[in-house]
């Protein structure tokens, strides 16, 4: 981390705590980074971890990492993760969280505000999750 981060993450007093994200991100940077929806494709556009939600979540983080690096940003500059999950059911949460835990072993991730939105289908059959990411950098 740099000496002064453009993003600070906050959980308000008296508000429910969620282990995988903070409720508030305060950004003081001047440059916005908007990353298109990232899915579990490899560099050749082949689906990674078919049928494996945890594996696809981890691959999404790998792709987001490449996108952040290209913009000169890190996961600590992210102010929002918006997840879309095909056919979402509450019992999928453990596998989703396992993918985040895998990403945390591979990267120095932060826990910015996040939303997880269930949808019928994503870009093509087999894609289980997609994430749009916003970061702020100085």
């Amino acid at each position: 981390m740099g000496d002064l981060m453009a993003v600070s993450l906050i959980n308000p007093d008296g508000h429910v705590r969620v282990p995988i994200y903070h409720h508030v991100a305060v950004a003081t940077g001047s440059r916005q980074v908007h990353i298109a929806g990232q899915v579990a494709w490899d560099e050749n556009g082949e689906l990674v971890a078919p049928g494996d939600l945890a594996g696809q979540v981890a691959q999404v983080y790998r792709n987001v990492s490449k996108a952040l690096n290209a913009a000169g940003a890190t996961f600590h500059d992210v102010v929002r993760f918006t997840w879309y999950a095909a056919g979402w059911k509450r019992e999928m949460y453990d596998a989703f969280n396992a993918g985040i835990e895998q990403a945390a072993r591979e990267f120095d991730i932060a826990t910015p505000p996040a939303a997880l939105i269930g949808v019928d289908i994503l870009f093509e059959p087999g894609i289980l999750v997609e994430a749009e990411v916003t970061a702020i950098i100085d």
Side-chain angles (χ1 to χ4, degrees):
M1 280 199 243
D3 294 331
L4 185 62
M5 298 302 294
V7 177
S8 58
L9 302 177
I10 300 168
N11 276 317
D13 290 339
H15 201 309
V16 63
R17 300 283 170 133
V18 182
I20 62 171
Y21 65 87
H22 285 78
H23 289 283
V24 180
V26 179
T28 57
S30 56
R31 292 181 15 199
Q32 299 181 32
V33 179
H34 297 269
I35 298 174
Q38 298 296 300
V39 299
W41 286 336
D42 66 13
E43 61 273 9
N44 300 313
E46 298 294 323
L47 186 63
V48 172
D52 174 7
L53 180 59
Q56 289 198 22
V57 168
Q59 182 63 31
V60 166
Y61 269 94
R62 292 179 196 115
N63 292 342
V64 169
S65 177
K66 291 175 190 173
L68 289 169
N69 288 340
T74 74
F75 282 106
H76 290 275
D77 300 310
V78 172
V79 294
R80 175 169 295 282
F81 246 97
T82 302
W83 289 95
Y84 301 90
W88 179 257
K89 294 178 178 55
R90 180 65 177 80
E91 51 269 27
M92 295 163 67
Y93 178 78
D94 287 346
F96 179 83
N97 199 43
I100 294 174
E101 290 169 358
Q102 176 61 42
R105 288 190 288 275
E106 295 180 31
F107 304 103
D108 180 19
I109 66 172
T111 53
L116 193 155
I117 300 161
V119 297
D120 288 337
I121 192 169
L122 289 162
F123 180 69
E124 62 188 20
I127 294 176
L128 302 177
V129 288
E130 181 168 346
E132 293 178 317
V133 177
T134 304
I136 303 290
I137 53 179
D138 282 321

